[in-house]
Structures are given as structure tokens and as C-alpha cells.
């Protein structure tokens, strides 16, 4: 196939995507710590970590396009699953899951967009701060992380009151579910983030927007 033919094919795929029936954006929460965006026939599973710089970069390049264009047609739905790497990551993941499923997109986008700021604060934590992250009840530890990272202020911009944030941070059942799911993902072959699967088939060598977009456009 010539380069011109490949280009024509790619253009045709883009036109087909744009002209596909536009659906009302929907977000469902089929199980704890899992969100499904859209109702398309093909499922893209996205494994993410909030302390992963590559995940934040992917979100900057392709996150909005995936949700607002691809998942707004009858072709694709996006399943977001969290691979938690450490207590900071777990705390952030619990807050993106805070509230009704309809709030997830904004929560997720905010934590990814602001990652350099809040993660930078936690990386520079003093010994006294680190001691708070590793002592007391687990909910107290998560509150300490949230306070030092500026999570309360971030959540306030989305309309959350401090009491609501504390309630989400105290959800030990959610924390356990996220940790257990992470172990399960490792057994499926997910070794890092971001990782992607299309209809439950893990994509090899795919961790950036351009690589993923190419494979999506071939299938949709």
C-alpha cells in the first residue's frame, strides 16, 4: 500500500469518527474504583497511576480528546482503572473517586493536570511530615497527605467541602478495593502505567497518545 493510500485511509477513519452518532456523555461506576465513560461498542481500558508523570503527560496530550470525542460516539467507551503505587497515589485515587460517578471526569482531570505541583510538595516533605504519613490510622495518614499536598484546596475548587473530602479519605473499603485490584492487574500482565487494553487485550508497547491513537483508529 502506498503512502498516499495509507493517508487516504487514515483520513477516511477520522471522517468516520467525526461523523459517527454523537451520544450524551455518560459515566458509570460498575464496581468500586472503576469508571466507564461512554457507551460505545469497543472498550478501551486505561490503567493509570496519579503519581506517574507519563500518565499526566498522556492526559495532557490525549485525555480530553479521548473523553470528549472518541467516547462521545457509539464507537468507544473508556474504562478507567487505578494501579496504585504508593500511599500518595492511593490518596489521590480515593479523591478522584469521591462523589457521584458524574464527578469523576473533572476529579481525574484536575489531579492529573496539577500533578507536578502536588507531587512536588510531597516529594519535598520534611521528616516530621513523613512521620505523619506513616503513623496513626490509615485515614489519619491520608488526611495528612491531603493536607500537605493541597488536596483540600484542590477539591474545594470542584465544590467539595472539607467534611466531604474527609469522608472519602476515611473510606477504608475503597482503599482496600483499590489495593486488591492493583494486585489483580499485575496478574493480568499490567506492569506499568499508563497501560491500555482494547476489548480486554493488553496493548504491547503502548504508553503514549500517538501509539494509542494509531491503534484506535485502525479498529474504529
Amino acid at each position: 500500500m502506498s503512502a498516499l493510500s495509507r493517508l487516504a485511509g487514515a483520513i477516511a477513519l477520522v471522517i468516520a469518527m467525526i461523523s459517527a452518532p454523537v451520544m450524551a456523555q455518560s459515566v458509570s461506576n460498575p464496581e468500586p474504583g472503576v469508571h466507564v465513560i461512554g457507551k460505545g461498542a469497543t472498550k478501551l481500558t486505561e490503567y493509570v497511576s496519579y503519581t506517574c508523570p507519563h500518565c499526566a503527560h498522556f492526559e495532557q496530550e490525549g485525555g480530553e480528546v479521548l473523553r470528549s470525542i472518541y467516547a462521545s460516539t457509539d464507537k468507544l467507551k473508556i474504562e478507567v482503572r487505578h494501579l496504585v503505587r504508593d500511599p500518595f497515589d492511593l490518596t489521590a485515587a480515593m479523591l478522584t473517586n469521591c462523589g457521584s460517578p458524574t464527578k469523576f471526569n473533572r476529579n481525574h482531570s484536575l489531579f492529573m493536570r496539577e500533578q507536578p505541583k502536588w507531587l512536588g510538595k510531597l516529594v519535598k516533605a520534611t521528616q516530621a511530615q513523613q512521620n505523619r504519613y506513616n503513623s496513626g490510622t490509615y485515614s489519619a495518614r491520608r488526611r495528612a497527605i491531603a493536607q500537605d499536598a493541597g488536596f483540600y484546596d484542590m477539591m474545594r475548587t470542584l465544590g467539595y467541602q472539607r467534611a466531604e473530602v474527609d469522608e472519602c479519605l476515611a473510606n477504608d473499603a475503597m482503599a482496600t478495593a483499590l489495593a486488591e485490584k492493583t494486585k489483580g492487574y499485575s496478574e493480568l500482565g499490567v506492569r506499568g502505567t499508563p497501560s491500555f487494553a482494547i476489548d480486554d487485550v493488553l496493548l504491547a508497547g503502548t504508553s503514549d497518545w500517538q501509539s494509542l491513537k494509531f491503534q484506535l483508529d485502525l479498529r474504529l
Side-chain angles (χ1 to χ4, degrees):
M1 181 182 292
S2 68
L4 183 59
S5 296
R6 288 195 297 270
L7 177 60
I11 293 173
L13 283 168
V14 172
I15 293 174
M17 175 64 68
I18 294 174
S19 61
V22 176
M23 305 170 65
Q25 186 69 247
S26 69
V27 183
S28 60
N29 184 205
E31 55 186 282
V34 177
H35 286 82
V36 177
I37 303 162
K39 296 181 179 180
T42 299
K43 180 179 70 173
L44 170 70
T45 301
E46 179 181 358
Y47 298 93
V48 299
S49 299
Y50 291 103
T51 55
C52 162
H54 296 296
C55 294
H57 182 69
F58 174 85
E59 174 66 20
Q60 181 182 9
E61 284 198 322
E64 184 61 31
V65 175
L66 266 178
R67 290 191 294 274
S68 65
I69 298 179
Y70 283 74
S72 293
T73 73
D74 62 352
K75 291 182 176 293
L76 187 74
K77 61 184 175 184
I78 305 166
E79 181 183 69
V80 181
R81 293 179 175 268
H82 308 286
L83 197 157
V84 294
R85 311 193 306 173
D86 50 53
F88 300 159
D89 198 356
L90 175 61
T91 302
M94 291 179 70
L95 292 183
T96 62
N97 281 271
C98 194
S100 69
T102 58
K103 296 183 178 182
F104 176 73
N105 279 338
R106 289 199 310 157
N107 296 350
H108 175 80
S109 179
L110 177 64
F111 274 82
M112 285 300 190
R113 185 173 66 250
E114 297 294 317
Q115 185 202 81
K117 296 179 182 178
W118 62 259
L119 189 55
K121 294 177 182 177
L122 293 173
V123 168
K124 297 176 182 178
T126 65
Q127 187 60 55
Q129 288 174 308
Q130 294 178 43
N131 291 340
R132 291 165 56 235
Y133 307 158
N134 296 291
S135 61
T137 65
Y138 287 114
S139 60
R141 299 179 191 192
R142 292 190 287 266
R143 289 196 302 272
I145 291 171
Q147 179 63 49
D148 294 346
F151 289 166
Y152 287 102
D153 290 337
M154 287 170 55
M155 296 296 281
R156 188 178 300 114
T157 67
L158 298 178
Y160 289 88
Q161 300 300 313
R162 189 182 186 95
E164 294 177 273
V165 176
D166 283 341
E167 182 177 355
C168 291
L169 292 174
N171 190 344
D172 288 328
M174 174 63 75
T176 299
L178 289 170
E180 290 180 347
K181 288 179 188 299
T182 294
K183 294 178 183 178
Y185 302 152
S186 297
E187 295 172 359
L188 292 175
V190 181
R191 298 288 180 261
T193 53
S195 288
F196 303 92
I198 294 179
D199 289 335
D200 298 323
V201 177
L202 197 62
L203 303 179
T206 305
S207 60
D208 63 271
W209 170 235
Q210 290 304 318
S211 297
L212 177 63
K213 182 180 184 301
F214 175 77
Q215 296 185 70
L216 284 175
D217 290 345
L218 284 178
R219 291 168 168 82
L220 300 178

